[in-house]
Amino acid sequence: MKSINAIFASSDEIELSDLAQLCQQTLNLDHYPTANQCQQNVLIYQAQDLMNAMKRDPRATLSELHQALSTSGPGVLVIKQAQPNMALLDRHNTLYEAILQQEAGSTQGGDHFAKQGANGRIWNALQKVALADPNAFLHYYKNPMLSWVAEAWLGPNWQMTSQVNIVRPGGQAQQPHRDYHLGFQSDETCSRYPISLHRLSSSLTLQGALAHSDMPLNSGPTQLLPFSHQYELGYMAWRKPEVKQYFAEHHVQLPLEKGDALFFNPALLHAAGQNRTSDLHRIGNLLQISASFGKTMEAIDHQTMCSYLYTATLKAWQQNALDEQELNTLVNSIADSYAFPTNLDLDTPQGETAPSTQAQHFVQHIKDLVSPEEYQHSLARLCQKRCP
Ligand SMILES: [Fe+2]
């Protein structure tokens, strides 16, 4: 396989054979002493075995979990019965349906990876459940399984988020993709990040899913392509037709039972499967867990910065004292230049996987010669949408 020497790369450099070569590896169970089996290159752990191993030798156990998710492993593992309390899962399911009912018609209901109406998506289910039933929340999120896998991959001080996905009978499969951060950026944007940041992106988050219903194969549990996270150009590969075709022919799917947890490297190619049942609502609590490092050292009030700098910037632009490159440089010191975190109920991406940023909004208003008064209103609306 071609080694990647370039600092930057583009989607033109994708070679399907490079991806395929990585995905043809076979998992060696001997390297994972705590796992009790391997199914289709996915490591399977029993919750009790993990518990015993953590008591015996936490460092070795965390190292093993890390290796499973890293570029020397398959990138994916399942913990059987990670949440054994079925009544607790039922309580959460009841809350999810109540939240969905409450939200029906009140939000734009956007889901950037699935057709509208095909599934029930709850953005920021973490906060919504916490407010709806603090007791159910605390018994659910105190689960040490979450902490062990998160700490193994991200170190201490990780931060939880949750996005519930209920795929109704007949719900279609997603397109294969990678996840946050770079998985939410276009090929063009990805190509502007050095490859070192592509590697880093997959170390900054962990993707998890807790099964809140049984997920037999015909209900469409997550389609996975073990080892695909090892492909360095993969963040720019998943929209390519030949990669989609390869994924369609080689992905694996494991049936899950209610209470099982799936964890995978966010760079692993995956997609929710099609629900072919007539009556099973496949309920998964998708956990996206972040490392603590994605935060700035100082807290900056970008809204106020934008507000104070707009008039001067507009004037400079109108007087040709600022060219486009200078404007784009300047805006990174004024506005929030990243689309996340945001409120995905309100700040729904339009045609892309990421909503537009405060910086893009600022630049567009300057280019459109919007008056300072109008900009202030527009900025307030944007901020209200992102962080009401
Ligand atoms: Fe995903």
Side-chain angles (χ1 to χ4, degrees), residues 341-360:
T342 191
N343 181 324
L344 282 165
D345 283 325
L346 302 174
D347 194 18
T348 308
Q350 304 295 330
E352 276 292 335
T353 43
S356 62
T357 67
Q358 196 182 51
Q360 289 167 332

Side-chain angles (χ1 to χ4, degrees), residues 113 174 177-179 207 264 270:
F113 286 123
Q174 288 177 337
H177 61 276
R178 286 183 167 191
D179 270 330
Q207 206 64 28
F264 56 91
H270 66 282

Side-chain angles (χ1 to χ4, degrees), residues 172-310:
Q172 293 299 301
Q174 288 177 337
Q175 293 292 329
H177 61 276
R178 286 183 167 191
D179 270 330
Y180 196 67
H181 291 256
L182 281 185
F184 281 31
Q185 305 293 339
S186 67
D187 291 353
E188 155 66 16
T189 304
C190 286
S191 71
R192 297 178 59 201
Y193 284 94
I195 293 297
S196 58
L197 264 288
H198 290 231
R199 292 186 199 114
L200 186 62
S201 181
S202 64
S203 295
L204 286 176
T205 62
L206 172 66
Q207 206 64 28
L210 197 58
H212 278 231
S213 65
D214 282 339
M215 298 187 176
L217 285 180
N218 63 352
S219 75
T222 310
Q223 302 170 341
L224 306 155
L225 191 56
F227 298 108
S228 58
H229 65 301
Q230 296 183 8
Y231 184 42
E232 290 211 314
L233 303 188
Y235 282 108
M236 296 177 291
W238 55 267
R239 294 177 178 92
K240 292 216 166 259
E242 66 269 28
V243 172
K244 287 184 188 175
Q245 184 61 30
Y246 184 84
F247 182 88
E249 289 164 6
H250 293 90
H251 71 257
V252 303
Q253 260 180 312
L254 264 57
L256 294 178
E257 291 169 298
K258 191 172 175 178
D260 291 350
L262 169 74
F263 289 97
F264 56 91
N265 183 308
L268 192 92
L269 286 172
H270 66 282
Q274 184 181 355
N275 187 344
R276 294 191 171 86
T277 69
S278 58
D279 55 355
L280 195 153
H281 295 247
R282 195 182 81 233
I283 310 172
N285 184 16
L286 309 187
L287 303 170
Q288 194 168 76
I289 312 173
S290 285
S292 53
F293 291 166
K295 293 183 180 176
T296 54
M297 187 173 72
E298 293 181 296
I300 295 169
D301 182 350
H302 284 118
Q303 185 175 355
T304 301
M305 295 273 288
C306 287
S307 184
Y308 274 67
L309 265 296
Y310 186 82

